[in-house]
C-alpha cells in the first residue's frame, strides 16, 4: 500500500501545534516591541500567554488598535 499521500494523527498534531505556537510568538514579540497605555501591555501579555490561541486572536483583532503611536 502507498501511504505517502496520507496525513496521520501525528502530522495533524504537529500542524495544530505549529499553527498555535507561531501566531502566539508573533503576538508576544509585537506586544513587547510596542508601547501601550497604562497596564495594557501586561494585560495583553498575560492574556496571550495563558489564553494561547484565543488570546492571540483577541490581540490581533482588538489589541493592535490599542498601541500607542509616535507623533513627531
Amino acid at each position: 500500500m502507498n501511504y505517502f499521500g496520507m496525513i496521520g494523527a501525528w502530522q495533524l498534531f504537529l500542524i495544530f501545534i505549529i499553527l498555535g505556537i507561531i501566531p502566539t510568538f508573533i503576538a508576544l514579540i509585537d506586544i513587547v516591541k510596542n508601547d501601550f497605555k497604562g497596564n495594557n501591555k501586561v494585560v495583553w501579555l498575560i492574556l496571550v500567554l495563558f489564553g494561547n490561541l484565543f488570546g492571540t486572536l483577541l490581540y490581533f483583532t482588538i489589541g493592535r488598535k490599542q498601541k500607542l503611536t509616535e507623533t513627531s
Side-chain angles (χ1 to χ4, degrees), residues 19-63:
L19 290 177
I21 290 176
I22 291 174
T24 302
F25 280 133
I26 292 171
L28 288 173
I29 291 169
D30 192 47
I31 293 169
V32 170
K33 286 178 124 181
N34 293 296
D35 291 326
F36 291 83
K37 183 178 179 183
N39 290 334
N40 286 350
K41 185 180 241 182
V42 175
V43 171
W44 282 116
L45 281 171
I46 291 171
L47 186 65
V48 168
L49 282 173
F50 293 114
N52 206 4
L53 188 58
F54 180 69
T56 303
L57 290 174
L58 278 177
Y59 174 72
F60 284 129
T61 56
I62 299 170

